[in-house]
Amino acid sequence: MDLLVAVLAPLAVAPLMPLVRRFAGRHVGDVAAAIPLAIAVYFARYVGTLGDGQSVAFRRAWVPEIGLSLSLRLDGLSLLFVLLISGIGALVCVYAGGYLAGNRRLGSFFGSLLAFMTAMLGIVLAENLLTLYVFWEFTTLTSFLLISFEHERQAARAAAMQALLTTAAGGLCLLAGVILLGLIGGSFEITELIERGDAVRAHRLYPAAVILILLGAFTKSAQFPFHYWLPNAMAAPTPVSAYLHSATMVKAGVYLLARLSPLLGGTDLWTVTVTGVGAVTMVVGTVLAFTSYDMKGILAYLTINVLGTLTMLIGLGTELAAEAAMIYLLAHALYKGALFLVTGAVDHAAHSRDLRELSGLRHRMPLTALIAALAALSMAGVVPFFGFLAKESYLHAVVEAPRMWPLLTFAAVVASVLVVAGAGLVAVAPFFGTLSEKADRAHEAGFRLWFVPALLAVAGLAAGLLPQTLAAPLVEPAVAAIVGEPVPLELKLWHGVTLPLVLSVIALAAGVALYVSHERVRSVFDGTRVLGGWGPAAWYDKGVTLLDVVAHWQTGFLQSGFLRTYVTVILAMTAGLAGLMITHFGLTFVERETIGVRWHEGIAAGLIVAAAFVAVRSTSRMRAVVALTIVGFGVSWIFVLFGGPDLAMTQIVVETLTTLLFVFAFYRLPKFSILSDRATRFRDAVLASSVGIVMTLLILLATGVDQYEPTSEYYVRSSVTEAHGRNIVNVILVDFRALDTLGEITVLSAAAVGVFVMVRLVAPKGGRS
Amino acid sequence: MPLILPILIPFLTAALALLGWRSLRLQRWLGVVGAFALLAAGIGLLISVQNEGIRTAQIGNWPAPYGITLVADHFAALLVLLVGIVGSAIAVYSLADIDEPQQSFAYYPLLHVLLMGVTAAFLAGDIFNLYVWFEVLLIASFVLLALGGERPQIEGAIKYVTLNLISSFLFLTAVGILYGAVGTLNMADVARKLQTLDNPDIVTTLAVMFLVAFGIKAAIFPLYFWLPASYHTPPAAVSAVFAALLTKVGIYSLIRMFTLVFDHAEAPPTFPLILVLAGLTMLTGVLGAIVQDDFRRVLSFNAICGVGYMMLGLGMHTPLALTGSIFYMTHSAVVTAVLFLIAGNAHLVRGTFRLDRLGGLAREAPWLAVAFAIAGLSLAGIPPLSGFVAKLILVRAGLEAGEHLAVAIAIAAGLLTLYSIARVWDAAFWKEPPAHEVPIERIGGEHEPGPLLPREKFLLGAPVATLVVLVVIIGLAAGPIFSLADAAANELMNPAGYIEAVLGGAS
């Protein structure tokens, strides 16, 4: 129950935020921060208690018949994420209160942000896979709202739509994968599934489930080739970018992979795909960083790099890799969060994030420059920052990878070099050098804008200095949850001269060298921008365009607007389907005794057929109507011949009336002319004949059945005795089937009212009918 | 509770309102009170079915199969309740939405004739009687559609009535041929006789005629032309009640006939056919939705897509799949109605339905934006709303049945639905409205767009709010509704119970 309250608390408060804004004014962010802070404090007490795979659980049935239940569970892995989400969430709230101060929609902004927190907490605490999916989609939606916060800007709306479509498509794949998994394993509860892991992995549908789930995780965590949405999502206000698109939401995919790796991992399919995609993303992210001049853009690409690294590590599946992933995750959240927020402060002060317009900012924003430097040093993996530990542990995991290690190591080192240079781009380039025009007009950031990133940056330093005290209690239970057994963890800066250390130093040195000549490097990498024309971002654009074209074409084709086409299709469908069925089953007419066709019956039938032809071929309306009347009278004659004088009388009356109505209506009609060409008329003739033939066949087939006594026999028997009436038709109408008559009376009344109303209400307005 | 009540209440309401022709006040009161009475009757009916099982009434005390039988099982009772819910919401909304001349000219009587036709169709246990109710709702809907008399309305109404008359013609012909074969019109009796038929192929052949006839009503591919041609023309209240209920009658009839009557032969080829048509309906419907530039046309095409989902459950023909269809019908009736009402509200605020001319509604009508977001997301199947549970059941049923392609289409259609809703959100709610003056689109019979009185705002807002809350409840409290749908599906999958309830143990 506590878990549920914790998850839903931010959402429950969210709708009140506009109101809070009215009363709290400038402090609305601080008030909003109280909720995640309370959650962080609440969960902090579990630190150190979940080391041995212990957990806290909550469960409530929703639609138990289909496995849908709301079940939550807190273990070491969840705890690490919960603390990141709530802790950084609180900081971001405070920061955003300053960053967006004075914005008209600040209330709804915090509403969306808090709603997002609920979604994120739900994902990492979900025990039921469907529960997880519920919150997963909720992050997609809140992210959509937050990216397009400045929705007057077309670019923001387009970016939001792109992120929505990409991640929602992945989300739906995830849903399908999850349901498959649930059907394979007989449960949607993650712990139960893990117990049945061997059976799940051996199942024939396992590959399908894995691929679908991976598609969900990869789109969310911006893995190649779905990474394109993340840089565009930077259209969001910077606190949102820092929080959703760096520290938390994009890591949901990584979380999912970590959560499910005990269940799905260990197979070739899983290891090769996850490691491979992660490694490619890792390198692609760093390379693309050099195609951007926007500080946020660079940070976004570097985030893609980290997401790739984390994915790769989880794919490896070793204990070392799990350790490295969790350490790196924590380190990244601290330094990247700080760097994003610093960028926000710069943007706020200098009204630009463009590296071509910014240099020498340290003269105007010394404090911000210092914070940027602290965070960047951690990012570059310099001793004694926590980032150093992270880099060393992941290089260690890569070097000892059970397979492909030379390739992975090479990729990791290349990426590390580029990350170091990238750190220079965002933390050195804008702050050093001569004072640019834009930078000159800047001023030091307000309290909230430097204090919050400072906290994060200092935390990165502190965690590096005291890893065993500060970081290990968080990381250890998380690793235990991934590996499935308690893993003693010893975090320290100095391990002696090892291969990872050597690689780390090489990366650092090469990175610095690269940064120094980054202008030249850029020109090389600019080439990749040309490649962008064929890249995944272009696939997305082309995909959407193609979808639009196809949809336009098919809709115009189907919904042409011509009634005659609609009628044609419907009749063709009728004749086609019924014809198909008749041929499918074959024709089995029952031979029945016949008394032969008498001559006057033949005349009646011939008359009807001939008159029908005349009606169709006639070029005069009057002649056609007369011919139709002859058809009707012919039918009446047949009724008479087969002993139905009452039916015949009704038919004659109706025919006469219809003919009269037709004649009256002629006065209002335009001159008769034939508008269709020969081919169309031929087609229509074929269609009409087909419908007629199919109907005839159906009737012949049906009358062949002679097993049952029709209900009309009952009417004949009981009309007098039971209903006390001699005219059977009347008795049927007003007694046996009186309800039908009531319905028909209603139809006639409604029609009469309709005619009256149309005449009275419409005609005065100009008689458009 | 007498089974005839849900038919009698709207009938009497319509009749009394016609008698009170000269008093607008009386008509308005009758219109609203009658709708709520129908709602109460719907609740009563569902409760009595839950307590007593399938209920039947032999009209005029003529024993089945000779007289006309009304039958209420869980499926029918649930749908009657939905008619009550939607009808009440629309009756209230109409008070402010329909202009006064129109209201005094038989709007409420016609609305109730329509409701009568719909509930009666759900309760009909006799196939010719079902035909009669089809005619009742067709004539009432035709007049409602054409009222106002603007040129687009007449054009839409002509297409609507022509195509639906073809449906009626096919239906009637099929009924005639069926009677010729088995000599009975009582559906339970037809079902029983078909089980002992020497040559059941004839019936399967006949089944496709019913498929086409009801398929037109249900708006399945490729028979749905009438729907996008007409739903965007009448006043919002009318289009909402149409979109929520009319296709449901077709779907109901298909499900009823294909579970009760045409489910006798081994592996009847009609179910795979329905499955294919369901897939194409979802796909073509949603593709239509993503390219429309009129708010209500987006919704119309999405309504078609929804029909595909409901047919999907019938096509898969498993208990869970049918449960999914029935759950989807429940969800769809509510969500479709409210979306059309929201579109109507947008029109009253801005004077247009065109997406390129709308804009800025998130700022000007924030509550409308919230309502649209919830209803739209539910339509797209986003958790935890009603549409999510509906689609989840269907997707699960599909994967259980191994219908992977159908599931893939259902999922892709879900994504595209989300896209279509996001497009509307983008255009109507988030982007800035065009700087130039926008020409007002007049809808015949509807309140002129422009400033609204507080009373009108309430009358327009309350139904929207209520239905949106229902959308949320159907999602969050899905358990009990699932149980209902499940009970309904089980009755459908085991028609023996239905047959016995109607005909008794006699055979």
Side-chain angles (χ1 to χ4, degrees), chain A residues 558-572 574, chain B residues 134-135 138 141-142 145 155-171 212-220 222-230:
Chain A
L558 287 173
Q559 198 70 26
S560 60
F562 296 117
L563 185 56
R564 54 180 179 274
T565 317
Y566 303 161
V567 175
T568 309
V569 172
I570 288 173
L571 292 181
T574 313
Chain B
F134 268 51
E135 292 301 289
L138 174 59
S141 55
F142 172 57
L145 198 56
E155 193 189 329
I158 296 281
K159 285 175 182 161
Y160 173 85
V161 79
T162 309
L163 298 174
N164 275 286
L165 279 175
I166 294 179
S167 161
S168 298
F169 154 73
L170 290 172
F171 183 12
V212 175
F214 294 147
I216 295 173
K217 295 275 176 193
I220 64 174
L223 309 166
Y224 55 61
F225 312 110
W226 59 270
L227 194 156
S230 59

Side-chain angles (χ1 to χ4, degrees), chain B residues 344-368:
Chain B
N345 266 301
H347 174 251
L348 288 179
V349 174
R350 279 259 177 273
T352 181
F353 283 108
R354 282 186 45 174
L355 294 179
D356 55 344
R357 293 175 181 170
L358 284 164
L361 285 171
R363 188 179 55 238
E364 255 177 78
W367 288 108
L368 193 64

Side-chain angles (χ1 to χ4, degrees), chain B residues 444-496:
Chain B
E446 188 173 85
H447 190 293
E448 285 280 345
L452 297 166
L453 305 171
R455 195 179 74 87
E456 290 173 327
K457 277 188 181 164
F458 172 78
L459 291 174
L460 296 169
V464 171
T466 312
L467 293 177
V468 164
V469 168
L470 264 182
V471 165
V472 176
I473 289 177
I474 295 173
L476 289 180
I481 296 160
F482 180 91
S483 306
L484 262 178
D486 191 44
N490 278 322
E491 285 168 357
L492 291 173
M493 290 301 282
N494 304 298

Side-chain angles (χ1 to χ4, degrees), chain A residues 283-342:
Chain A
V283 175
V284 166
T286 47
V287 170
L288 290 177
F290 285 85
T291 62
S292 177
Y293 286 96
D294 176 10
M295 288 171 71
K296 265 175 90 174
I298 295 169
L299 288 174
Y301 284 119
L302 293 175
T303 302
I304 292 173
N305 148 268
V306 175
L307 295 170
T309 312
L310 294 173
T311 303
M312 175 187 76
L313 288 171
I314 288 166
L316 285 176
T318 61
E319 216 177 277
L320 271 178
E323 251 177 61
M326 291 304 107
I327 296 172
Y328 200 9
L329 181 93
L330 186 57
H332 173 253
L334 296 176
Y335 74 68
K336 193 60 70 60
L339 283 174
F340 263 109
L341 297 183
V342 160

Side-chain angles (χ1 to χ4, degrees), chain A residues 665-725:
Chain A
F666 283 170
Y667 288 111
R668 316 270 300 182
L669 290 179
K671 208 169 130 41
F672 184 89
S673 57
I674 294 176
L675 297 171
S676 49
D677 56 25
R678 277 187 74 83
T680 314
R681 289 206 300 279
F682 180 72
R683 186 200 66 196
D684 292 348
V686 170
L687 185 64
S689 316
S690 315
V691 174
I693 290 168
V694 165
M695 291 293 170
T696 312
L697 286 176
L698 276 175
I699 292 169
L700 287 177
L701 286 168
T703 47
V705 180
D706 201 13
Q707 271 174 272
Y708 312 103
E709 182 201 76
T711 41
S712 53
E713 301 295 328
Y714 172 86
Y715 299 146
V716 174
R717 277 200 310 274
S718 336
S719 186
V720 178
T721 56
E722 302 273 330
H724 312 291

Side-chain angles (χ1 to χ4, degrees), chain A residues 705-748:
Chain A
V705 180
D706 201 13
Q707 271 174 272
Y708 312 103
E709 182 201 76
T711 41
S712 53
E713 301 295 328
Y714 172 86
Y715 299 146
V716 174
R717 277 200 310 274
S718 336
S719 186
V720 178
T721 56
E722 302 273 330
H724 312 291
R726 295 203 173 272
N727 183 330
I728 297 178
V729 174
N730 282 357
V731 174
I732 291 174
L733 286 178
V734 300
D735 202 340
F736 291 123
R737 301 192 61 94
L739 193 60
D740 286 342
T741 312
L742 179 76
E744 292 299 348
I745 291 171
T746 314
V747 171
L748 290 179

Side-chain angles (χ1 to χ4, degrees), chain A residues 546-559:
Chain A
L546 184 69
L547 182 69
D548 255 21
V549 170
V550 170
H552 263 293
W553 174 80
Q554 77 102 27
T555 310
F557 178 73
L558 287 173
Q559 198 70 26

